[in-house]
Amino acid sequence: MTIQERDIMGGLAKGLAVIETFTAERPRQSIAEVAVASGLDRATARRCLLTLAHQGYADYDGKFFTLTPRVLRLGTACLATMPLPQLVQPLLDALSEQLGESSSVSILDGADIVYVARAAQKKVMSIALMPGSRLPAYCTAMGRVLLAALPGDQARALLSATPLPARTSHTLTNPEAIMSELGRVKNQGYALIDQEVEMGLRSIAAPLFNARGVAVAAVNVGVPATQVGVEELVPLYFEALRGLQSNLRAVLR
């Protein structure tokens, strides 16, 4: 179905754009900062922010806005309608318990991955990850698995659409180098990340296919770099990821 421009509610679109400017790096913003981040003019950004505050989706101290937990209703409603989290969570819990390491499942949303399920055995990142959390795809193991499953021109377009900052000294930021890595990931069936997202974190990820062989999500295991060498990731964890992959293939749509 083609959506006509006349049927689009511009105010809603602008309000959603304002919500999306709030990130872990920018949890507290002024009107001017939101205007810049959203691409809206200052007056429009102000009206959107004040509306969010009036509806309970944001707090305002007279200068800065922060989102409130009420915003989680939007994401929770989405996750509640998706069969994927319900299908994978029990298997993910069992996998994490078996390996003694944290594991997650995510999907691709533009240039980001969005966590839809997580089983944590120990804290391996400085930020708290949970369903709904987002990380950039270009430097995460699950992100590279999902980017590698796309046609090459689509993956390249996503890499070109946003900045690729170096999160650590190990992060690949050159689009051509990342594309080359995606080729390896596609051929070998898994992705390895060695401290590219955060120092001290290593990760291995594999795609989750549906019954038609389409990669619809990715699963990973994250481990402390001080305890597991990068050369140990495949022998220690890949078969377990393949087992989860096999168990889910017949039931994912």
Side-chain angles (χ1 to χ4, degrees), residues 6-241:
R6 65 176 180 272
D7 295 322
I8 302 300
M9 186 179 294
L12 176 58
K14 291 171 184 176
L16 293 172
V18 165
I19 290 174
E20 290 183 353
T21 66
F22 289 87
T23 65
E25 293 76 25
R26 297 194 305 264
R28 184 169 175 264
Q29 298 186 92
S30 67
I31 293 171
E33 289 169 333
V34 169
V36 171
S38 64
L40 300 173
D41 62 74
R42 185 186 175 96
T44 301
R46 177 179 178 275
R47 289 196 301 272
C48 288
L49 287 165
L50 291 175
T51 301
L52 290 171
H54 181 265
Q55 296 299 118
Y57 289 100
D59 281 332
Y60 180 42
D61 64 6
K63 183 175 181 180
F64 294 102
F65 289 83
T66 55
L67 296 182
T68 69
R70 188 183 183 95
V71 171
L72 295 176
R73 293 184 185 184
L74 305 177
T76 302
C78 174
L79 289 174
T81 63
M82 295 173 60
L84 181 60
Q86 289 84 355
L87 288 171
V88 303
Q89 191 64 60
L91 295 176
L92 199 64
D93 290 338
L95 176 71
S96 185
E97 188 69 27
Q98 170 195 341
L99 299 177
E101 302 291 353
S102 298
S103 57
S104 306
V105 169
S106 72
I107 59 175
L108 190 66
D109 181 24
D112 292 340
I113 58 169
V114 179
Y115 284 70
V116 298
R118 181 159 171 81
Q121 289 289 322
K122 60 187 76 170
K123 188 169 183 179
V124 293
M125 290 190 71
S126 62
I127 61 173
L129 294 174
M130 63 193 74
S133 295
R134 305 174 74 93
L135 285 174
Y138 73 94
C139 61
T140 54
M142 289 190 288
R144 287 190 184 162
V145 160
L146 293 168
L147 288 173
L150 297 175
D153 58 342
Q154 289 186 27
R156 191 182 299 276
L158 286 175
L159 292 174
S160 302
T162 58
L164 307 176
R167 295 175 65 101
T168 76
S169 59
H170 297 268
T171 309
L172 278 183
T173 59
N174 181 283
E176 291 307 316
I178 296 172
M179 288 298 299
S180 178
E181 181 62 22
L182 295 183
R184 282 191 288 272
V185 169
K186 187 170 186 176
N187 289 333
Q188 65 195 15
Y190 61 84
L192 301 178
I193 292 294
D194 185 9
Q195 305 182 86
E196 291 192 49
V197 180
E198 185 172 293
M199 293 303 296
L201 172 69
R202 292 183 172 129
S203 177
I204 179 172
L208 294 177
F209 300 104
N210 63 16
R212 300 186 302 278
V214 177
V216 295
V219 58
N220 88 322
V221 175
V223 299
T226 55
Q227 298 178 21
V228 181
V230 67
E231 71 283 352
E232 300 176 277
L233 291 174
V234 172
L236 284 176
Y237 306 118
F238 186 46
E239 282 307 309
L241 295 181

